[in-house]
Amino acid sequence: MTIFDIDFGQRYRDHMAAAGGREKPSEAWDARAAGMARQTQDSSYARAFVDRMDLSAATTLLDVGCGTGTIALALAGRMERVYGLDYSAGMLAVLMENAALRRFTNVEPILRAWEDDWRDVPACDLVVASRSTSVMDMADALAKLDAKAKRRVYLTSLVGGLFIDPGILELLDRSPTPLPDYIYILNILYRMGRHPRVDYIETDSRLADTESFDVFVRKLTQSVGELSDAERARLAAWYDADPERARRGGAPFRWAFISWETR
């Protein structure tokens, strides 16, 4: 068997099924939209993402899975037209509120999911998918991004497929199957005849900067479920043993920043 005999799209789908991956209903994101609106748009992650982009000869942008507009609005001042695509109407409403607050009149929302028909989605010079690529069918998603990009595509994918420090999960005797990560993307793009570039963006853990152990536990249980008394005791020992590590929330996230030319 050679690499040409491997259907990485199918392998990705099999891996996602084994990991229990599923698409959140749009209503779940609608419910979170108002809270996310209060989060800063000018984050170190957004700056790192934009700094890695080549904006030359680009006047239009399509942001897929745009949420409240972190990347779309960071670039709206440099583009003639920006489209924010998301399957959450609540997120798109906040996107447009944020655009109005910043007096951008060149931003247009598109209510669409990854698995929907994209035939009427406008092709743009640049297409981005920032932290929105935990999809059920990666081969289909990449083909759609590629087809809508006149010049370049930029996306990020979580390295390692886990949203919690593996050391914490091991401490708790939890061993979830990681979600498929960026390695599948590279191999699918290779089979598509593209030549992707890879860089990395590091961000704080979602458990970072909690003001107490109880808050730390509350955040953690949102991801792993309730803890037993024994698990809580082991976690307390871990938390107290290294206050700086606890402040960081364990290991940081590492995002693979992947880009390719479509021309």
Side-chain angles (χ1 to χ4, degrees):
M1 178 181 287
T2 71
I3 193 170
F4 301 105
D5 299 312
I6 302 173
D7 183 344
F8 288 101
Q10 185 60 53
R11 292 293 179 91
Y12 175 95
R13 292 189 292 272
D14 292 344
H15 187 154
M16 183 62 84
R22 57 186 177 84
E23 190 73 69
K24 285 185 180 180
S26 59
E27 293 80 8
W29 291 110
D30 292 343
R32 293 183 59 185
M36 293 179 69
R38 294 189 291 271
Q39 298 177 8
T40 177
Q41 297 287 316
D42 184 24
S43 67
S44 59
Y45 168 86
R47 291 192 296 273
F49 192 107
V50 172
D51 286 348
R52 286 163 170 77
M53 295 178 66
D54 177 4
L55 305 181
S56 60
T59 62
T60 54
L61 171 78
L62 172 65
D63 184 354
V64 178
C66 63
T68 61
T70 299
I71 301 301
L73 298 182
L75 291 168
R78 309 189 214 181
M79 298 285 145
E80 293 178 5
R81 178 62 57 180
V82 170
Y83 300 93
L85 183 151
D86 206 289
Y87 74 125
S88 164
M91 289 291 180
L92 291 177
V94 175
L95 164 71
M96 298 311 294
E97 290 172 8
N98 288 336
L101 287 171
R102 298 174 66 170
R103 298 186 179 180
F104 290 134
T105 59
N106 59 338
V107 179
E108 182 176 329
I110 300 174
L111 183 62
R112 204 65 49 87
W114 281 102
E115 62 271 17
D116 289 341
D117 188 339
W118 282 23
R119 277 180 290 187
D120 63 341
V121 173
C124 292
D125 295 319
L126 305 179
V127 174
V128 303
S130 168
R131 297 187 291 196
S132 61
T133 57
S134 291
V135 297
M136 300 303 105
D137 189 336
M138 182 59 72
D140 181 66
L142 293 175
K144 284 178 171 172
L145 295 176
D146 191 79
K148 293 302 177 180
K150 296 179 181 179
R151 294 182 180 276
R152 293 174 287 277
V153 180
Y154 300 93
L155 63 80
T156 47
S157 175
L158 184 64
V159 176
L162 292 171
F163 288 93
I164 299 296
D165 180 346
I168 295 176
L169 295 173
E170 183 177 354
L171 179 74
L172 300 176
D173 291 328
R174 308 287 180 101
S175 54
T177 301
L179 295 171
D181 77 352
Y182 76 105
I183 292 298
Y184 288 95
I185 295 174
L186 298 182
N187 283 294
I188 293 169
L189 288 171
Y190 177 79
R191 293 294 300 271
M192 288 170 58
R194 297 308 189 194
H195 300 91
R197 296 180 176 88
V198 185
D199 198 353
Y200 299 93
I201 299 174
E202 197 166 279
T203 61
D204 289 340
S205 162
R206 62 175 54 171
L207 302 175
D209 297 321
T210 51
E211 60 268 28
S212 69
F213 176 67
D214 287 339
V215 175
F216 185 89
V217 169
R218 188 159 64 247
K219 283 189 175 182
L220 179 62
T221 55
Q222 290 173 357
S223 296
V224 304
E226 293 301 316
L227 304 182
S228 67
D229 290 343
E231 289 173 330
R232 189 181 176 96
R234 290 198 300 273
L235 187 64
W238 176 94
Y239 188 92
D240 293 336
D242 188 338
E244 177 58 26
R245 178 184 62 185
R247 186 197 64 77
R248 296 193 307 268
F253 285 161
R254 178 174 288 176
W255 298 92
F257 180 90
I258 301 172
S259 62
W260 69 94
E261 304 278 341
T262 60
R263 295 186 64 177

